[in-house]
Amino acid sequence: MKRIYDFSRNPAKRNYTISDLQALKGTGKKLSMANPANAPELRACIEAGIDLFVVGGDQIDEVREIAPHHFTGVGSSWAQFGSTAEILDHAFEMMRKGGDLYYTLRSFETMETLAREGIPVQSHIGLIPTFSHYCGGLRAWGRKADEAMQIFETLKRMEDAGVVAVEAECIAEEVLEAVNLKTSIVTFSLGSGNAGDAVFSFVADICGEASEEDKPPKHAHSFGNVGRLHKQVHQERVAALKEFHKEVAATNFPYPETNVTMHDGEKAKFLEALDKWAPTHS
């Protein structure tokens, strides 16, 4: 555990620092990375030993309460803000709240603006679902040499802009392997093989929460079957609600043991007073 000051200049500790991640390149050590979406998932990731987190901006307060020492990236979606000034303000807010890395999909100029202010910037290469309109839908990247070179050139442009890390999504494994040691940028592999500095996957995919109808992508390997438990919980919930509805319709519920009753002797007093009651008029 490393002693640091966070970006609000508060004393803190982290399991990994940015310097640690950069020093991993070429060592062969791989870190695990996941995106816990709520408190139970956060606690599960901590207990499981997951190294790095990435979360939405509305989660950072909860993360720092439950996982104060975990390296955590946070950021904004592409269309969340309209201007670089708004993104910069949001980035500062996320850093003040304990973020360790700020994710943005915006222009090289925006990335450079953030980096110039000392904000550690993460971006995204390869398949970017937000921009899938431009490439004919969701697909793998870098299977052809010219596209592989585009990936490398984009990575170097990001490096020149001051980007610290990227999510490398659905890139041919050979491409990430070839470019990873030619850049100082830390790479988080999502569906891009084992060449990244960290391997990222979604909690829902790791835990097997998707249904068969969801058709998870090729890289979404399930190490569990939480979906089966979700289905069981749903079935139990429906069964309980049906029984409740049936008992209400039959005038059986509420049951005597669930009801509140008056103290002994109080009912008779109340009914007598009720019988004698007459409205008073001013």
Side-chain angles (χ1 to χ4, degrees), residues 262 265-276:
M262 299 182 75
E266 295 299 314
K267 180 180 178 181
K269 294 178 186 178
F270 167 62
L271 293 178
E272 182 180 355
L274 195 62
D275 286 341
K276 293 178 180 178

Side-chain angles (χ1 to χ4, degrees), residues 63-272:
V63 171
R64 283 297 161 242
E65 179 181 350
I66 296 172
H69 305 319
H70 260 74
F71 185 99
T72 302
V74 62
S76 57
S77 61
W78 175 74
Q80 187 172 347
F81 301 106
S83 68
T84 296
E86 290 174 304
I87 296 168
L88 183 62
D89 286 344
H90 186 252
F92 275 124
E93 181 185 3
M94 294 299 99
M95 295 298 103
R96 282 192 293 267
K97 290 187 172 186
D100 297 307
L101 200 62
Y102 188 81
Y103 173 91
T104 181
L105 280 174
R106 300 296 283 268
S107 67
F108 294 111
E109 291 76 18
T110 296
M111 296 177 202
E112 187 172 12
T113 297
L114 299 179
R116 195 166 54 239
E117 296 296 338
I119 294 167
V121 177
Q122 178 193 338
S123 195
H124 201 137
I125 57 172
L127 171 62
I128 304 175
T130 303
F131 300 149
S132 54
H133 268 296
Y134 292 113
C135 60
L138 303 175
R139 65 170 178 84
W141 280 74
R143 285 184 159 177
K144 294 183 178 180
D146 58 346
E147 192 169 85
M149 277 304 300
Q150 289 174 19
I151 290 169
F152 176 63
E153 289 166 359
T154 299
L155 197 60
K156 297 306 285 185
R157 284 188 69 187
M158 289 179 176
E159 185 177 70
D160 291 341
V163 170
V164 169
V166 295
E167 179 181 328
E169 183 168 355
C170 294
I171 294 171
E173 185 175 28
E174 304 96 315
V175 176
L176 186 56
E177 183 178 23
V179 304
N180 194 43
L181 295 182
K182 294 184 181 295
T183 177
S184 63
I185 293 179
V186 179
T187 56
F188 303 142
S189 172
L190 175 61
S192 300
N194 202 33
D197 302 307
V199 177
F200 171 47
S201 190
F202 297 119
V203 170
D205 292 338
I206 296 167
C207 296
E209 299 192 44
S211 66
E212 293 179 2
E213 295 79 17
D214 290 333
K215 296 181 179 178
K218 179 181 178 180
H219 62 265
H221 183 80
S222 298
F223 294 86
N225 193 0
V226 175
R228 170 180 56 83
L229 300 179
H230 286 326
K231 186 176 181 180
Q232 182 179 343
V233 167
H234 176 74
Q235 291 170 340
E236 289 286 338
R237 183 175 285 122
V238 171
L241 291 166
K242 281 185 176 179
E243 187 65 17
F244 163 74
H245 172 72
K246 184 185 79 173
E247 288 294 88
V248 169
T251 68
N252 293 329
F253 185 82
Y255 302 131
E257 62 269 24
T258 67
N259 295 338
V260 176
T261 58
M262 299 182 75
H263 295 305
D264 290 344
E266 295 299 314
K267 180 180 178 181
K269 294 178 186 178
F270 167 62
L271 293 178
E272 182 180 355

